[in-house]
Amino acid sequence: MSPKEVIKRWVVLFNNGNADEIAELYHSDAVNHQVANEPVIGKKAIKEMFSQEFSTANMICIPEHIFEDGDWAILEWKDPLGLRGCGFFRVMDGKIKFQRGYWDKLSFLKMHNLPIPMV
């Protein structure tokens, strides 16, 4: 699959809340770094991250644009509550090797009535 095709599949699995299947889109040593959080390294840890996130909030990704350039895909997205963000995915051999996402964590926590950590 091309990077753009991988991201289209990723969106479907994300919206289904399927941590097992979405994890299969990643290399065994992939890195998922949502910049509001610490990087998550390895397919197993990424699966656990998605399992936790899917059990915490009902998240929906509505793609606005998906761009492809070489082995990179860029996903610009929104959700039904008004949150917006973007993700950068490096896809190698049909699997995600690296992902970086940008979104407003404070807005996400407030929208889903989740506790706001005090630091």
Side-chain angles (χ1 to χ4, degrees):
M1 286 193 289
S2 72
K4 191 172 187 176
E5 291 168 330
V6 170
I7 302 320
K8 286 180 178 180
R9 180 74 181 140
W10 184 94
V11 169
V12 169
L13 297 174
F14 182 90
N15 288 342
N16 289 338
N18 191 325
D20 292 328
E21 287 190 36
I22 204 167
E24 290 304 313
L25 293 178
Y26 290 83
H27 279 271
S28 62
D29 61 345
V31 175
N32 184 321
H33 185 194
Q34 302 303 302
V35 297
N37 302 319
E38 292 296 317
V40 178
I41 302 169
K43 182 192 289 194
K44 182 179 177 186
I46 291 169
K47 177 183 167 185
E48 290 170 7
M49 176 198 71
F50 279 118
S51 292
Q52 175 64 34
E53 289 178 351
F54 292 152
S55 69
T56 301
N58 182 24
M59 299 178 291
I60 301 295
C61 175
I62 302 167
E64 292 195 307
H65 299 99
I66 301 175
F67 303 99
E68 182 177 322
D69 183 19
D71 56 358
W72 286 89
I74 303 164
L75 168 64
E76 185 180 13
W77 57 267
K78 64 182 179 180
D79 77 359
L81 301 176
L83 189 67
R84 293 182 175 275
C86 63
F88 296 82
F89 300 77
R90 185 166 189 202
V91 177
M92 302 175 72
D93 303 318
K95 300 250 184 197
I96 300 165
K97 184 76 168 173
F98 179 80
Q99 177 182 354
R100 180 173 287 137
Y102 297 89
W103 45 277
D104 181 351
K105 186 173 184 174
L106 181 58
S107 295
F108 175 84
L109 294 172
K110 287 179 178 180
M111 289 174 176
H112 290 280
N113 296 313
L114 295 170
I116 298 170
M118 304 308 271
V119 282

PDB file of all heavy atoms in Angstrom, residues 2 11 16 20 26 28 37 46-47 53 58 71 75-76 90 92 97 107 112 115 118:
ATOM      1  N   SER A   2       0.406   2.255  -0.685  1.00  0.00           N
ATOM      2  CA  SER A   2       1.099   3.542  -0.691  1.00  0.00           C
ATOM      3  C   SER A   2       0.893   4.213   0.669  1.00  0.00           C
ATOM      4  O   SER A   2      -0.027   3.849   1.425  1.00  0.00           O
ATOM      5  CB  SER A   2       0.531   4.430  -1.796  1.00  0.00           C
ATOM      6  OG  SER A   2      -0.777   4.873  -1.444  1.00  0.00           O
ATOM      7  N   VAL A  11      -7.343   5.575   9.267  1.00  0.00           N
ATOM      8  CA  VAL A  11      -8.525   6.356   9.669  1.00  0.00           C
ATOM      9  C   VAL A  11      -9.712   5.433   9.917  1.00  0.00           C
ATOM     10  O   VAL A  11     -10.416   5.573  10.926  1.00  0.00           O
ATOM     11  CB  VAL A  11      -8.860   7.438   8.618  1.00  0.00           C
ATOM     12  CG1 VAL A  11     -10.222   8.069   8.881  1.00  0.00           C
ATOM     13  CG2 VAL A  11      -7.769   8.508   8.574  1.00  0.00           C
ATOM     14  N   ASN A  16     -13.100   2.946  14.065  1.00  0.00           N
ATOM     15  CA  ASN A  16     -13.724   1.731  14.604  1.00  0.00           C
ATOM     16  C   ASN A  16     -13.232   1.416  16.010  1.00  0.00           C
ATOM     17  O   ASN A  16     -13.739   0.500  16.649  1.00  0.00           O
ATOM     18  CB  ASN A  16     -13.453   0.529  13.692  1.00  0.00           C
ATOM     19  CG  ASN A  16     -14.223   0.602  12.397  1.00  0.00           C
ATOM     20  OD1 ASN A  16     -15.234   1.287  12.297  1.00  0.00           O
ATOM     21  ND2 ASN A  16     -13.738  -0.085  11.379  1.00  0.00           N
ATOM     22  N   ASP A  20      -6.210  -3.588  18.041  1.00  0.00           N
ATOM     23  CA  ASP A  20      -5.497  -4.747  17.495  1.00  0.00           C
ATOM     24  C   ASP A  20      -5.165  -4.538  16.021  1.00  0.00           C
ATOM     25  O   ASP A  20      -4.023  -4.736  15.600  1.00  0.00           O
ATOM     26  CB  ASP A  20      -6.310  -6.030  17.656  1.00  0.00           C
ATOM     27  CG  ASP A  20      -6.446  -6.463  19.102  1.00  0.00           C
ATOM     28  OD1 ASP A  20      -5.512  -6.211  19.890  1.00  0.00           O
ATOM     29  OD2 ASP A  20      -7.489  -7.046  19.444  1.00  0.00           O
ATOM     30  N   TYR A  26       1.653  -0.860  11.918  1.00  0.00           N
ATOM     31  CA  TYR A  26       2.938  -0.325  12.358  1.00  0.00           C
ATOM     32  C   TYR A  26       4.047  -1.372  12.269  1.00  0.00           C
ATOM     33  O   TYR A  26       3.806  -2.556  12.503  1.00  0.00           O
ATOM     34  CB  TYR A  26       2.838   0.156  13.816  1.00  0.00           C
ATOM     35  CG  TYR A  26       1.992   1.386  13.976  1.00  0.00           C
ATOM     36  CD1 TYR A  26       0.603   1.294  14.072  1.00  0.00           C
ATOM     37  CD2 TYR A  26       2.562   2.653  14.025  1.00  0.00           C
ATOM     38  CE1 TYR A  26      -0.186   2.421  14.220  1.00  0.00           C
ATOM     39  CE2 TYR A  26       1.782   3.786  14.165  1.00  0.00           C
ATOM     40  CZ  TYR A  26       0.408   3.668  14.266  1.00  0.00           C
ATOM     41  OH  TYR A  26      -0.373   4.783  14.397  1.00  0.00           O
ATOM     42  N   SER A  28       7.321  -3.252  13.790  1.00  0.00           N
ATOM     43  CA  SER A  28       7.527  -3.734  15.161  1.00  0.00           C
ATOM     44  C   SER A  28       8.291  -2.723  16.015  1.00  0.00           C
ATOM     45  O   SER A  28       8.088  -2.644  17.226  1.00  0.00           O
ATOM     46  CB  SER A  28       8.250  -5.085  15.160  1.00  0.00           C
ATOM     47  OG  SER A  28       9.526  -4.944  14.567  1.00  0.00           O
ATOM     48  N   ASN A  37       2.331  14.285  24.270  1.00  0.00           N
ATOM     49  CA  ASN A  37       2.670  13.154  25.136  1.00  0.00           C
ATOM     50  C   ASN A  37       4.097  12.694  24.848  1.00  0.00           C
ATOM     51  O   ASN A  37       4.708  13.110  23.871  1.00  0.00           O
ATOM     52  CB  ASN A  37       1.700  11.984  24.887  1.00  0.00           C
ATOM     53  CG  ASN A  37       0.258  12.380  25.123  1.00  0.00           C
ATOM     54  OD1 ASN A  37      -0.059  13.079  26.065  1.00  0.00           O
ATOM     55  ND2 ASN A  37      -0.617  11.918  24.246  1.00  0.00           N
ATOM     56  N   ILE A  46       2.392   0.659  21.172  1.00  0.00           N
ATOM     57  CA  ILE A  46       1.441   1.455  20.396  1.00  0.00           C
ATOM     58  C   ILE A  46       0.050   0.844  20.508  1.00  0.00           C
ATOM     59  O   ILE A  46      -0.942   1.558  20.698  1.00  0.00           O
ATOM     60  CB  ILE A  46       1.909   1.602  18.935  1.00  0.00           C
ATOM     61  CG1 ILE A  46       3.165   2.495  18.882  1.00  0.00           C
ATOM     62  CG2 ILE A  46       0.805   2.146  18.040  1.00  0.00           C
ATOM     63  CD1 ILE A  46       3.882   2.505  17.546  1.00  0.00           C
ATOM     64  N   LYS A  47      -0.040  -0.463  20.435  1.00  0.00           N
ATOM     65  CA  LYS A  47      -1.335  -1.148  20.603  1.00  0.00           C
ATOM     66  C   LYS A  47      -1.912  -0.847  21.982  1.00  0.00           C
ATOM     67  O   LYS A  47      -3.100  -0.538  22.113  1.00  0.00           O
ATOM     68  CB  LYS A  47      -1.160  -2.653  20.418  1.00  0.00           C
ATOM     69  CG  LYS A  47      -2.427  -3.438  20.642  1.00  0.00           C
ATOM     70  CD  LYS A  47      -2.166  -4.931  20.510  1.00  0.00           C
ATOM     71  CE  LYS A  47      -3.336  -5.722  21.031  1.00  0.00           C
ATOM     72  NZ  LYS A  47      -3.074  -7.152  21.031  1.00  0.00           N
ATOM     73  N   GLU A  53      -6.501   4.626  24.963  1.00  0.00           N
ATOM     74  CA  GLU A  53      -7.178   5.820  24.448  1.00  0.00           C
ATOM     75  C   GLU A  53      -8.603   5.518  23.995  1.00  0.00           C
ATOM     76  O   GLU A  53      -9.517   6.293  24.261  1.00  0.00           O
ATOM     77  CB  GLU A  53      -6.376   6.423  23.301  1.00  0.00           C
ATOM     78  CG  GLU A  53      -5.090   7.073  23.765  1.00  0.00           C
ATOM     79  CD  GLU A  53      -4.251   7.629  22.636  1.00  0.00           C
ATOM     80  OE1 GLU A  53      -4.568   7.370  21.451  1.00  0.00           O
ATOM     81  OE2 GLU A  53      -3.268   8.322  22.926  1.00  0.00           O
ATOM     82  N   ASN A  58     -14.453   8.586  23.180  1.00  0.00           N
ATOM     83  CA  ASN A  58     -14.972   8.243  21.858  1.00  0.00           C
ATOM     84  C   ASN A  58     -14.373   9.229  20.862  1.00  0.00           C
ATOM     85  O   ASN A  58     -14.786  10.389  20.805  1.00  0.00           O
ATOM     86  CB  ASN A  58     -16.500   8.307  21.849  1.00  0.00           C
ATOM     87  CG  ASN A  58     -17.077   7.917  20.515  1.00  0.00           C
ATOM     88  OD1 ASN A  58     -16.438   7.205  19.742  1.00  0.00           O
ATOM     89  ND2 ASN A  58     -18.272   8.370  20.222  1.00  0.00           N
ATOM     90  N   ASP A  71       7.854   8.680   0.879  1.00  0.00           N
ATOM     91  CA  ASP A  71       7.387   7.708   1.878  1.00  0.00           C
ATOM     92  C   ASP A  71       6.683   8.386   3.058  1.00  0.00           C
ATOM     93  O   ASP A  71       6.479   7.780   4.107  1.00  0.00           O
ATOM     94  CB  ASP A  71       8.538   6.804   2.358  1.00  0.00           C
ATOM     95  CG  ASP A  71       9.730   7.561   2.923  1.00  0.00           C
ATOM     96  OD1 ASP A  71       9.709   8.793   2.921  1.00  0.00           O
ATOM     97  OD2 ASP A  71      10.679   6.899   3.370  1.00  0.00           O
ATOM     98  N   LEU A  75      -1.768  13.839   7.292  1.00  0.00           N
ATOM     99  CA  LEU A  75      -3.208  13.807   7.520  1.00  0.00           C
ATOM    100  C   LEU A  75      -3.613  15.063   8.277  1.00  0.00           C
ATOM    101  O   LEU A  75      -3.162  15.286   9.402  1.00  0.00           O
ATOM    102  CB  LEU A  75      -3.578  12.564   8.342  1.00  0.00           C
ATOM    103  CG  LEU A  75      -4.987  12.493   8.916  1.00  0.00           C
ATOM    104  CD1 LEU A  75      -6.034  12.437   7.802  1.00  0.00           C
ATOM    105  CD2 LEU A  75      -5.116  11.296   9.850  1.00  0.00           C
ATOM    106  N   GLU A  76      -4.426  15.894   7.643  1.00  0.00           N
ATOM    107  CA  GLU A  76      -5.033  17.027   8.325  1.00  0.00           C
ATOM    108  C   GLU A  76      -6.445  16.600   8.684  1.00  0.00           C
ATOM    109  O   GLU A  76      -7.196  16.133   7.829  1.00  0.00           O
ATOM    110  CB  GLU A  76      -5.041  18.249   7.403  1.00  0.00           C
ATOM    111  CG  GLU A  76      -5.533  19.495   8.070  1.00  0.00           C
ATOM    112  CD  GLU A  76      -5.536  20.703   7.142  1.00  0.00           C
ATOM    113  OE1 GLU A  76      -5.396  20.536   5.913  1.00  0.00           O
ATOM    114  OE2 GLU A  76      -5.691  21.816   7.661  1.00  0.00           O
ATOM    115  N   ARG A  90       5.552   8.383   8.421  1.00  0.00           N
ATOM    116  CA  ARG A  90       6.546   7.844   7.488  1.00  0.00           C
ATOM    117  C   ARG A  90       6.196   6.378   7.296  1.00  0.00           C
ATOM    118  O   ARG A  90       6.181   5.593   8.256  1.00  0.00           O
ATOM    119  CB  ARG A  90       7.959   7.974   8.025  1.00  0.00           C
ATOM    120  CG  ARG A  90       8.963   7.517   6.985  1.00  0.00           C
ATOM    121  CD  ARG A  90      10.348   7.931   7.319  1.00  0.00           C
ATOM    122  NE  ARG A  90      11.204   7.647   6.162  1.00  0.00           N
ATOM    123  CZ  ARG A  90      12.491   7.492   6.243  1.00  0.00           C
ATOM    124  NH1 ARG A  90      13.103   7.622   7.400  1.00  0.00           N
ATOM    125  NH2 ARG A  90      13.191   7.228   5.164  1.00  0.00           N
ATOM    126  N   MET A  92       7.037   2.861   5.414  1.00  0.00           N
ATOM    127  CA  MET A  92       8.076   2.102   4.733  1.00  0.00           C
ATOM    128  C   MET A  92       7.612   0.667   4.587  1.00  0.00           C
ATOM    129  O   MET A  92       7.127   0.074   5.563  1.00  0.00           O
ATOM    130  CB  MET A  92       9.382   2.180   5.520  1.00  0.00           C
ATOM    131  CG  MET A  92       9.867   3.622   5.724  1.00  0.00           C
ATOM    132  SD  MET A  92      11.311   3.754   6.771  1.00  0.00           S
ATOM    133  CE  MET A  92      12.535   3.102   5.652  1.00  0.00           C
ATOM    134  N   LYS A  97       6.319   3.530  10.086  1.00  0.00           N
ATOM    135  CA  LYS A  97       7.592   3.451  10.805  1.00  0.00           C
ATOM    136  C   LYS A  97       7.677   4.561  11.856  1.00  0.00           C
ATOM    137  O   LYS A  97       8.241   4.372  12.929  1.00  0.00           O
ATOM    138  CB  LYS A  97       8.745   3.579   9.802  1.00  0.00           C
ATOM    139  CG  LYS A  97      10.111   3.432  10.384  1.00  0.00           C
ATOM    140  CD  LYS A  97      10.427   1.988  10.687  1.00  0.00           C
ATOM    141  CE  LYS A  97      11.897   1.804  10.998  1.00  0.00           C
ATOM    142  NZ  LYS A  97      12.189   0.462  11.451  1.00  0.00           N
ATOM    143  N   SER A 107      -7.685  21.186  25.096  1.00  0.00           N
ATOM    144  CA  SER A 107      -9.022  21.215  24.482  1.00  0.00           C
ATOM    145  C   SER A 107      -9.620  19.816  24.434  1.00  0.00           C
ATOM    146  O   SER A 107     -10.805  19.631  24.724  1.00  0.00           O
ATOM    147  CB  SER A 107      -8.954  21.802  23.073  1.00  0.00           C
ATOM    148  OG  SER A 107      -8.570  23.152  23.118  1.00  0.00           O
ATOM    149  N   HIS A 112     -13.868  16.115  26.345  1.00  0.00           N
ATOM    150  CA  HIS A 112     -14.269  14.774  26.750  1.00  0.00           C
ATOM    151  C   HIS A 112     -14.469  14.658  28.265  1.00  0.00           C
ATOM    152  O   HIS A 112     -14.597  13.556  28.792  1.00  0.00           O
ATOM    153  CB  HIS A 112     -13.216  13.754  26.266  1.00  0.00           C
ATOM    154  CG  HIS A 112     -13.222  13.599  24.787  1.00  0.00           C
ATOM    155  ND1 HIS A 112     -14.128  12.819  24.102  1.00  0.00           N
ATOM    156  CD2 HIS A 112     -12.440  14.166  23.830  1.00  0.00           C
ATOM    157  CE1 HIS A 112     -13.903  12.885  22.810  1.00  0.00           C
ATOM    158  NE2 HIS A 112     -12.876  13.702  22.611  1.00  0.00           N
ATOM    159  N   PRO A 115     -10.023  14.449  33.312  1.00  0.00           N
ATOM    160  CA  PRO A 115      -9.263  15.252  34.279  1.00  0.00           C
ATOM    161  C   PRO A 115      -8.084  15.961  33.628  1.00  0.00           C
ATOM    162  O   PRO A 115      -7.425  15.415  32.738  1.00  0.00           O
ATOM    163  CB  PRO A 115      -8.782  14.232  35.303  1.00  0.00           C
ATOM    164  CG  PRO A 115      -9.055  12.881  34.745  1.00  0.00           C
ATOM    165  CD  PRO A 115     -10.003  13.032  33.601  1.00  0.00           C
ATOM    166  N   MET A 118      -2.474  18.414  36.854  1.00  0.00           N
ATOM    167  CA  MET A 118      -1.886  19.618  37.454  1.00  0.00           C
ATOM    168  C   MET A 118      -0.390  19.377  37.586  1.00  0.00           C
ATOM    169  O   MET A 118       0.040  18.409  38.196  1.00  0.00           O
ATOM    170  CB  MET A 118      -2.501  19.894  38.830  1.00  0.00           C
ATOM    171  CG  MET A 118      -4.020  20.022  38.785  1.00  0.00           C
ATOM    172  SD  MET A 118      -4.622  21.194  37.558  1.00  0.00           S
ATOM    173  CE  MET A 118      -4.621  22.664  38.509  1.00  0.00           C
TER     174      MET A 118
END
